[in-house]
mmCIF file of all heavy atoms in Angstrom:
data_model
loop_
_atom_site.group_PDB
_atom_site.id
_atom_site.type_symbol
_atom_site.label_atom_id
_atom_site.label_comp_id
_atom_site.label_asym_id
_atom_site.label_seq_id
_atom_site.Cartn_x
_atom_site.Cartn_y
_atom_site.Cartn_z
ATOM 1 N N HIS O 24 54.595 120.245 -54.184
ATOM 2 C CA HIS O 24 55.291 120.224 -55.503
ATOM 3 C C HIS O 24 54.208 119.755 -56.602
ATOM 4 O O HIS O 24 53.290 119.000 -56.278
ATOM 5 C CB HIS O 24 56.436 119.308 -55.635
ATOM 6 C CG HIS O 24 57.542 119.795 -54.713
ATOM 7 N ND1 HIS O 24 58.392 120.795 -54.912
ATOM 8 C CD2 HIS O 24 57.813 119.317 -53.423
ATOM 9 C CE1 HIS O 24 59.240 120.906 -53.903
ATOM 10 N NE2 HIS O 24 58.967 120.143 -53.007
ATOM 11 N N PRO O 25 54.420 120.131 -57.774
ATOM 12 C CA PRO O 25 53.440 119.733 -58.843
ATOM 13 C C PRO O 25 53.516 118.246 -59.054
ATOM 14 O O PRO O 25 54.510 117.549 -58.818
ATOM 15 C CB PRO O 25 53.884 120.486 -60.112
ATOM 16 C CG PRO O 25 55.228 121.092 -59.831
ATOM 17 C CD PRO O 25 55.435 121.038 -58.292
ATOM 18 N N ARG O 26 52.421 117.696 -59.398
ATOM 19 C CA ARG O 26 52.357 116.285 -59.769
ATOM 20 C C ARG O 26 53.071 115.995 -61.036
ATOM 21 O O ARG O 26 53.334 116.914 -61.839
ATOM 22 C CB ARG O 26 50.925 115.807 -59.829
ATOM 23 C CG ARG O 26 50.168 115.936 -58.532
ATOM 24 C CD ARG O 26 48.761 115.435 -58.556
ATOM 25 N NE ARG O 26 48.281 115.453 -59.909
ATOM 26 C CZ ARG O 26 47.135 114.973 -60.293
ATOM 27 N NH1 ARG O 26 46.395 114.253 -59.487
ATOM 28 N NH2 ARG O 26 46.667 115.012 -61.515
ATOM 29 N N VAL O 27 53.314 114.703 -61.329
ATOM 30 C CA VAL O 27 54.120 114.351 -62.534
ATOM 31 C C VAL O 27 53.500 114.900 -63.729
ATOM 32 O O VAL O 27 54.072 115.537 -64.603
ATOM 33 C CB VAL O 27 54.330 112.792 -62.483
ATOM 34 C CG1 VAL O 27 54.969 112.412 -63.818
ATOM 35 C CG2 VAL O 27 55.056 112.382 -61.338
ATOM 36 N N GLU O 28 52.084 114.629 -63.842
ATOM 37 C CA GLU O 28 51.409 115.080 -65.065
ATOM 38 C C GLU O 28 51.482 116.627 -65.281
ATOM 39 O O GLU O 28 51.678 117.132 -66.389
ATOM 40 C CB GLU O 28 49.965 114.723 -65.064
ATOM 41 C CG GLU O 28 49.771 113.214 -64.999
ATOM 42 C CD GLU O 28 49.868 112.632 -63.675
ATOM 43 O OE1 GLU O 28 49.833 113.312 -62.605
ATOM 44 O OE2 GLU O 28 50.007 111.345 -63.597
ATOM 45 N N GLU O 29 51.385 117.371 -64.099
ATOM 46 C CA GLU O 29 51.553 118.769 -64.171
ATOM 47 C C GLU O 29 52.948 119.232 -64.586
ATOM 48 O O GLU O 29 53.139 120.173 -65.363
ATOM 49 C CB GLU O 29 51.229 119.415 -62.803
ATOM 50 C CG GLU O 29 49.809 119.281 -62.481
ATOM 51 C CD GLU O 29 49.521 119.631 -61.001
ATOM 52 O OE1 GLU O 29 50.465 120.054 -60.267
ATOM 53 O OE2 GLU O 29 48.323 119.584 -60.544
ATOM 54 N N MET O 30 53.992 118.502 -64.128
ATOM 55 C CA MET O 30 55.362 118.786 -64.471
ATOM 56 C C MET O 30 55.579 118.570 -66.020
ATOM 57 O O MET O 30 56.157 119.343 -66.632
ATOM 58 C CB MET O 30 56.309 117.896 -63.717
ATOM 59 C CG MET O 30 57.714 118.291 -63.735
ATOM 60 S SD MET O 30 57.900 119.907 -63.029
ATOM 61 C CE MET O 30 59.221 119.563 -61.977
ATOM 62 N N HIS O 31 54.977 117.414 -66.493
ATOM 63 C CA HIS O 31 55.079 117.110 -67.981
ATOM 64 C C HIS O 31 54.412 118.279 -68.796
ATOM 65 O O HIS O 31 54.962 118.744 -69.835
ATOM 66 C CB HIS O 31 54.521 115.828 -68.346
ATOM 67 C CG HIS O 31 55.238 114.691 -67.774
ATOM 68 N ND1 HIS O 31 56.506 114.474 -67.719
ATOM 69 C CD2 HIS O 31 54.668 113.533 -67.229
ATOM 70 C CE1 HIS O 31 56.862 113.317 -67.167
ATOM 71 N NE2 HIS O 31 55.704 112.729 -66.911
ATOM 72 N N ALA O 32 53.233 118.740 -68.271
ATOM 73 C CA ALA O 32 52.472 119.822 -68.971
ATOM 74 C C ALA O 32 53.231 121.140 -68.939
ATOM 75 O O ALA O 32 53.333 121.839 -69.966
ATOM 76 C CB ALA O 32 51.107 119.961 -68.381
ATOM 77 N N LYS O 33 53.869 121.431 -67.801
ATOM 78 C CA LYS O 33 54.605 122.707 -67.735
ATOM 79 C C LYS O 33 55.811 122.615 -68.563
ATOM 80 O O LYS O 33 56.228 123.567 -69.326
ATOM 81 C CB LYS O 33 55.129 122.962 -66.271
ATOM 82 C CG LYS O 33 54.026 123.437 -65.348
ATOM 83 C CD LYS O 33 54.608 123.638 -63.997
ATOM 84 C CE LYS O 33 53.493 124.135 -63.056
ATOM 85 N NZ LYS O 33 53.898 124.430 -61.639
ATOM 86 N N LYS O 34 56.483 121.510 -68.636
ATOM 87 C CA LYS O 34 57.676 121.324 -69.517
ATOM 88 C C LYS O 34 57.255 121.456 -70.967
ATOM 89 O O LYS O 34 57.942 122.103 -71.756
ATOM 90 C CB LYS O 34 58.261 119.850 -69.274
ATOM 91 C CG LYS O 34 59.525 119.632 -70.018
ATOM 92 C CD LYS O 34 60.050 118.256 -69.614
ATOM 93 C CE LYS O 34 61.431 117.950 -70.226
ATOM 94 N NZ LYS O 34 61.855 116.644 -69.830
ATOM 95 N N TRP O 35 56.100 120.838 -71.329
ATOM 96 C CA TRP O 35 55.680 120.889 -72.745
ATOM 97 C C TRP O 35 55.334 122.454 -73.139
ATOM 98 O O TRP O 35 55.764 122.804 -74.166
ATOM 99 C CB TRP O 35 54.416 120.037 -73.009
ATOM 100 C CG TRP O 35 53.866 120.220 -74.355
ATOM 101 C CD1 TRP O 35 52.681 120.716 -74.703
ATOM 102 C CD2 TRP O 35 54.538 119.836 -75.615
ATOM 103 N NE1 TRP O 35 52.594 120.723 -76.070
ATOM 104 C CE2 TRP O 35 53.678 120.215 -76.657
ATOM 105 C CE3 TRP O 35 55.736 119.276 -75.868
ATOM 106 C CZ2 TRP O 35 54.029 120.040 -77.946
ATOM 107 C CZ3 TRP O 35 56.089 119.103 -77.296
ATOM 108 C CH2 TRP O 35 55.238 119.424 -78.264
ATOM 109 N N GLN O 36 54.707 123.065 -72.191
ATOM 110 C CA GLN O 36 54.311 124.491 -72.513
ATOM 111 C C GLN O 36 55.600 125.283 -72.662
ATOM 112 O O GLN O 36 55.694 126.197 -73.483
ATOM 113 C CB GLN O 36 53.414 125.105 -71.335
ATOM 114 C CG GLN O 36 51.977 124.595 -71.410
ATOM 115 C CD GLN O 36 51.388 124.918 -72.800
ATOM 116 O OE1 GLN O 36 51.015 123.884 -73.503
ATOM 117 N NE2 GLN O 36 51.332 126.091 -73.243
ATOM 118 N N TYR O 37 56.598 125.067 -71.855
ATOM 119 C CA TYR O 37 57.897 125.817 -71.907
ATOM 120 C C TYR O 37 58.480 125.477 -73.249
ATOM 121 O O TYR O 37 58.996 126.397 -73.975
ATOM 122 C CB TYR O 37 58.781 125.329 -70.785
ATOM 123 C CG TYR O 37 60.126 126.066 -70.690
ATOM 124 C CD1 TYR O 37 60.283 127.192 -69.932
ATOM 125 C CD2 TYR O 37 61.180 125.602 -71.475
ATOM 126 C CE1 TYR O 37 61.500 127.779 -69.807
ATOM 127 C CE2 TYR O 37 62.423 126.225 -71.378
ATOM 128 C CZ TYR O 37 62.554 127.351 -70.654
ATOM 129 O OH TYR O 37 63.774 128.029 -70.552
ATOM 130 N N ILE O 38 58.537 124.209 -73.696
ATOM 131 C CA ILE O 38 59.090 123.799 -74.980
ATOM 132 C C ILE O 38 58.333 124.563 -76.104
ATOM 133 O O ILE O 38 59.012 125.042 -77.050
ATOM 134 C CB ILE O 38 59.097 122.376 -75.125
ATOM 135 C CG1 ILE O 38 60.162 121.721 -74.204
ATOM 136 C CG2 ILE O 38 59.482 121.914 -76.584
ATOM 137 C CD1 ILE O 38 60.049 120.171 -74.079
ATOM 138 N N VAL O 39 57.073 124.477 -76.106
ATOM 139 C CA VAL O 39 56.254 125.124 -77.097
ATOM 140 C C VAL O 39 56.560 126.579 -77.234
ATOM 141 O O VAL O 39 56.806 127.024 -78.408
ATOM 142 C CB VAL O 39 54.716 124.927 -76.860
ATOM 143 C CG1 VAL O 39 53.891 125.825 -77.768
ATOM 144 C CG2 VAL O 39 54.325 123.414 -77.013
ATOM 145 N N GLU O 40 56.688 127.271 -76.108
ATOM 146 C CA GLU O 40 56.986 128.698 -76.150
ATOM 147 C C GLU O 40 58.415 128.967 -76.608
ATOM 148 O O GLU O 40 58.582 129.878 -77.470
ATOM 149 C CB GLU O 40 56.745 129.321 -74.696
ATOM 150 C CG GLU O 40 57.031 130.795 -74.638
ATOM 151 C CD GLU O 40 56.924 131.178 -73.157
ATOM 152 O OE1 GLU O 40 55.972 130.827 -72.471
ATOM 153 O OE2 GLU O 40 57.776 132.019 -72.783
ATOM 154 N N LYS O 41 59.391 128.307 -76.010
ATOM 155 C CA LYS O 41 60.783 128.634 -76.230
ATOM 156 C C LYS O 41 61.160 128.145 -77.710
ATOM 157 O O LYS O 41 61.946 128.819 -78.338
ATOM 158 C CB LYS O 41 61.705 128.032 -75.259
ATOM 159 C CG LYS O 41 61.450 128.581 -73.884
ATOM 160 C CD LYS O 41 61.864 130.118 -73.837
ATOM 161 C CE LYS O 41 61.660 130.552 -72.369
ATOM 162 N NZ LYS O 41 61.857 131.998 -72.272
ATOM 163 N N ALA O 42 60.622 127.060 -78.123
ATOM 164 C CA ALA O 42 60.933 126.564 -79.491
ATOM 165 C C ALA O 42 60.077 127.223 -80.546
ATOM 166 O O ALA O 42 60.226 126.905 -81.716
ATOM 167 C CB ALA O 42 60.873 125.077 -79.481
ATOM 168 N N GLN O 43 59.099 128.030 -80.105
ATOM 169 C CA GLN O 43 58.148 128.639 -81.062
ATOM 170 C C GLN O 43 57.537 127.752 -81.975
ATOM 171 O O GLN O 43 57.529 127.947 -83.196
ATOM 172 C CB GLN O 43 58.906 129.836 -81.703
ATOM 173 C CG GLN O 43 59.410 130.869 -80.761
ATOM 174 C CD GLN O 43 60.198 132.055 -81.483
ATOM 175 O OE1 GLN O 43 60.659 131.799 -82.586
ATOM 176 N NE2 GLN O 43 60.215 133.154 -80.882
ATOM 177 N N LEU O 44 56.892 126.703 -81.441
ATOM 178 C CA LEU O 44 56.194 125.739 -82.304
ATOM 179 C C LEU O 44 54.936 126.272 -82.859
ATOM 180 O O LEU O 44 54.258 127.017 -82.267
ATOM 181 C CB LEU O 44 55.910 124.415 -81.440
ATOM 182 C CG LEU O 44 57.128 123.777 -80.792
ATOM 183 C CD1 LEU O 44 56.667 122.455 -80.175
ATOM 184 C CD2 LEU O 44 58.188 123.402 -81.804
ATOM 185 N N THR O 45 54.664 125.909 -84.122
ATOM 186 C CA THR O 45 53.496 126.264 -84.787
ATOM 187 C C THR O 45 52.374 125.359 -84.221
ATOM 188 O O THR O 45 52.617 124.311 -83.766
ATOM 189 C CB THR O 45 53.613 126.079 -86.331
ATOM 190 O OG1 THR O 45 53.758 124.710 -86.598
ATOM 191 C CG2 THR O 45 54.776 126.892 -86.880
ATOM 192 N N PRO O 46 51.101 125.686 -84.490
ATOM 193 C CA PRO O 46 49.998 124.868 -84.097
ATOM 194 C C PRO O 46 50.160 123.478 -84.693
ATOM 195 O O PRO O 46 49.821 122.461 -83.995
ATOM 196 C CB PRO O 46 48.753 125.603 -84.530
ATOM 197 C CG PRO O 46 49.172 127.070 -84.492
ATOM 198 C CD PRO O 46 50.507 127.079 -84.863
ATOM 199 N N GLN O 47 50.528 123.432 -85.947
ATOM 200 C CA GLN O 47 50.728 122.093 -86.645
ATOM 201 C C GLN O 47 51.804 121.257 -85.944
ATOM 202 O O GLN O 47 51.579 120.056 -85.766
ATOM 203 C CB GLN O 47 51.013 122.325 -88.126
ATOM 204 C CG GLN O 47 49.873 122.937 -88.876
ATOM 205 C CD GLN O 47 49.953 124.438 -88.817
ATOM 206 O OE1 GLN O 47 50.895 125.107 -88.203
ATOM 207 N NE2 GLN O 47 48.884 125.080 -89.186
ATOM 208 N N GLU O 48 52.863 121.895 -85.529
ATOM 209 C CA GLU O 48 53.960 121.171 -84.965
ATOM 210 C C GLU O 48 53.543 120.727 -83.520
ATOM 211 O O GLU O 48 53.977 119.622 -83.098
ATOM 212 C CB GLU O 48 55.218 122.110 -84.782
ATOM 213 C CG GLU O 48 55.892 122.382 -86.135
ATOM 214 C CD GLU O 48 56.945 123.455 -86.128
ATOM 215 O OE1 GLU O 48 56.820 124.430 -85.237
ATOM 216 O OE2 GLU O 48 57.836 123.505 -86.967
ATOM 217 N N VAL O 49 52.814 121.535 -82.848
ATOM 218 C CA VAL O 49 52.268 121.156 -81.490
ATOM 219 C C VAL O 49 51.433 119.912 -81.656
ATOM 220 O O VAL O 49 51.615 118.978 -80.883
ATOM 221 C CB VAL O 49 51.535 122.315 -80.839
ATOM 222 C CG1 VAL O 49 50.780 121.816 -79.572
ATOM 223 C CG2 VAL O 49 52.463 123.401 -80.528
ATOM 224 N N THR O 50 50.524 119.954 -82.550
ATOM 225 C CA THR O 50 49.600 118.804 -82.803
ATOM 226 C C THR O 50 50.410 117.520 -83.192
ATOM 227 O O THR O 50 50.021 116.436 -82.627
ATOM 228 C CB THR O 50 48.552 119.132 -83.891
ATOM 229 O OG1 THR O 50 47.851 120.269 -83.512
ATOM 230 C CG2 THR O 50 47.675 117.968 -84.172
ATOM 231 N N ALA O 51 51.399 117.639 -83.940
ATOM 232 C CA ALA O 51 52.140 116.475 -84.414
ATOM 233 C C ALA O 51 53.110 115.983 -83.260
ATOM 234 O O ALA O 51 53.251 114.776 -83.078
ATOM 235 C CB ALA O 51 53.032 116.799 -85.615
ATOM 236 N N ALA O 52 53.761 116.854 -82.528
ATOM 237 C CA ALA O 52 54.769 116.440 -81.574
ATOM 238 C C ALA O 52 54.264 116.209 -80.232
ATOM 239 O O ALA O 52 54.877 115.353 -79.463
ATOM 240 C CB ALA O 52 55.856 117.547 -81.553
ATOM 241 N N GLN O 53 53.201 116.771 -79.780
ATOM 242 C CA GLN O 53 52.824 116.632 -78.364
ATOM 243 C C GLN O 53 52.572 115.144 -77.914
ATOM 244 O O GLN O 53 53.050 114.724 -76.908
ATOM 245 C CB GLN O 53 51.587 117.503 -78.054
ATOM 246 C CG GLN O 53 51.226 117.450 -76.567
ATOM 247 C CD GLN O 53 50.120 118.384 -76.159
ATOM 248 O OE1 GLN O 53 49.444 118.947 -77.054
ATOM 249 N NE2 GLN O 53 50.014 118.605 -74.801
ATOM 250 N N PRO O 54 51.815 114.354 -78.689
ATOM 251 C CA PRO O 54 51.561 112.984 -78.288
ATOM 252 C C PRO O 54 52.873 112.183 -78.209
ATOM 253 O O PRO O 54 53.080 111.361 -77.288
ATOM 254 C CB PRO O 54 50.695 112.426 -79.343
ATOM 255 C CG PRO O 54 50.196 113.494 -80.163
ATOM 256 C CD PRO O 54 51.093 114.681 -79.945
ATOM 257 N N ILE O 55 53.828 112.448 -79.009
ATOM 258 C CA ILE O 55 55.151 111.737 -79.013
ATOM 259 C C ILE O 55 55.894 112.203 -77.784
ATOM 260 O O ILE O 55 56.523 111.357 -77.148
ATOM 261 C CB ILE O 55 55.881 112.065 -80.319
ATOM 262 C CG1 ILE O 55 55.124 111.495 -81.512
ATOM 263 C CG2 ILE O 55 57.339 111.434 -80.335
ATOM 264 C CD1 ILE O 55 55.591 111.967 -82.917
ATOM 265 N N PHE O 56 55.861 113.479 -77.526
ATOM 266 C CA PHE O 56 56.540 113.992 -76.353
ATOM 267 C C PHE O 56 55.958 113.433 -75.140
ATOM 268 O O PHE O 56 56.768 112.983 -74.213
ATOM 269 C CB PHE O 56 56.467 115.602 -76.329
ATOM 270 C CG PHE O 56 56.969 116.158 -75.089
ATOM 271 C CD1 PHE O 56 58.270 116.409 -74.817
ATOM 272 C CD2 PHE O 56 56.051 116.483 -74.018
ATOM 273 C CE1 PHE O 56 58.700 116.977 -73.691
ATOM 274 C CE2 PHE O 56 56.472 117.024 -72.824
ATOM 275 C CZ PHE O 56 57.867 117.298 -72.565
ATOM 276 N N MET O 57 54.684 113.412 -74.933
ATOM 277 C CA MET O 57 54.062 112.942 -73.736
ATOM 278 C C MET O 57 54.349 111.439 -73.509
ATOM 279 O O MET O 57 54.591 110.893 -72.426
ATOM 280 C CB MET O 57 52.566 113.180 -73.705
ATOM 281 C CG MET O 57 52.239 114.604 -73.513
ATOM 282 S SD MET O 57 52.867 115.306 -71.924
ATOM 283 C CE MET O 57 52.392 116.977 -72.100
ATOM 284 N N GLU O 58 54.356 110.674 -74.626
ATOM 285 C CA GLU O 58 54.638 109.210 -74.606
ATOM 286 C C GLU O 58 56.089 109.103 -74.024
ATOM 287 O O GLU O 58 56.387 108.248 -73.199
ATOM 288 C CB GLU O 58 54.504 108.604 -75.913
ATOM 289 C CG GLU O 58 54.923 107.173 -76.082
ATOM 290 C CD GLU O 58 54.909 106.634 -77.488
ATOM 291 O OE1 GLU O 58 54.055 107.139 -78.342
ATOM 292 O OE2 GLU O 58 55.715 105.803 -77.772
ATOM 293 N N TYR O 59 57.037 109.861 -74.650
ATOM 294 C CA TYR O 59 58.426 109.790 -74.210
ATOM 295 C C TYR O 59 58.473 110.196 -72.772
ATOM 296 O O TYR O 59 59.228 109.449 -71.958
ATOM 297 C CB TYR O 59 59.272 110.689 -75.037
ATOM 298 C CG TYR O 59 60.691 110.813 -74.547
ATOM 299 C CD1 TYR O 59 61.695 109.870 -74.588
ATOM 300 C CD2 TYR O 59 61.116 112.088 -73.965
ATOM 301 C CE1 TYR O 59 62.852 110.097 -74.194
ATOM 302 C CE2 TYR O 59 62.359 112.284 -73.533
ATOM 303 C CZ TYR O 59 63.316 111.290 -73.609
ATOM 304 O OH TYR O 59 64.540 111.430 -73.158
ATOM 305 N N GLU O 60 57.913 111.203 -72.260
ATOM 306 C CA GLU O 60 58.112 111.668 -70.890
ATOM 307 C C GLU O 60 57.486 110.625 -69.928
ATOM 308 O O GLU O 60 58.106 110.359 -68.900
ATOM 309 C CB GLU O 60 57.194 112.997 -70.704
ATOM 310 C CG GLU O 60 57.968 114.184 -71.283
ATOM 311 C CD GLU O 60 59.225 114.592 -70.514
ATOM 312 O OE1 GLU O 60 59.177 114.822 -69.267
ATOM 313 O OE2 GLU O 60 60.168 114.720 -71.222
ATOM 314 N N GLN O 61 56.345 110.041 -70.247
ATOM 315 C CA GLN O 61 55.839 108.983 -69.439
ATOM 316 C C GLN O 61 56.627 107.757 -69.369
ATOM 317 O O GLN O 61 56.885 107.146 -68.291
ATOM 318 C CB GLN O 61 54.394 108.638 -69.933
ATOM 319 C CG GLN O 61 53.435 109.795 -69.589
ATOM 320 C CD GLN O 61 52.124 109.652 -70.390
ATOM 321 O OE1 GLN O 61 51.866 108.605 -71.099
ATOM 322 N NE2 GLN O 61 51.257 110.605 -70.071
ATOM 323 N N ALA O 62 57.271 107.406 -70.512
ATOM 324 C CA ALA O 62 58.129 106.168 -70.477
ATOM 325 C C ALA O 62 59.461 106.460 -69.673
ATOM 326 O O ALA O 62 59.852 105.596 -68.870
ATOM 327 C CB ALA O 62 58.578 105.907 -71.969
ATOM 328 N N VAL O 63 59.986 107.637 -69.759
ATOM 329 C CA VAL O 63 61.145 107.976 -68.896
ATOM 330 C C VAL O 63 60.754 108.037 -67.449
ATOM 331 O O VAL O 63 61.508 107.508 -66.553
ATOM 332 C CB VAL O 63 61.764 109.280 -69.388
ATOM 333 C CG1 VAL O 63 62.858 109.801 -68.327
ATOM 334 C CG2 VAL O 63 62.399 109.251 -70.775
#
Side-chain angles (χ1 to χ4, degrees):
H24 298 282
R26 294 181 337 167
V27 175
E28 295 83 16
E29 292 171 359
M30 191 68 126
H31 294 318
K33 284 182 181 182
K34 185 176 182 181
W35 176 246
Q36 284 308 117
Y37 183 93
I38 290 169
V39 168
E40 180 184 318
K41 296 296 181 183
Q43 299 177 335
L44 301 182
T45 66
Q47 295 82 9
E48 291 167 335
V49 169
T50 300
Q53 186 174 15
I55 298 167
F56 171 82
M57 290 300 179
E58 176 187 330
Y59 170 72
E60 286 291 304
Q61 291 168 358
V63 170

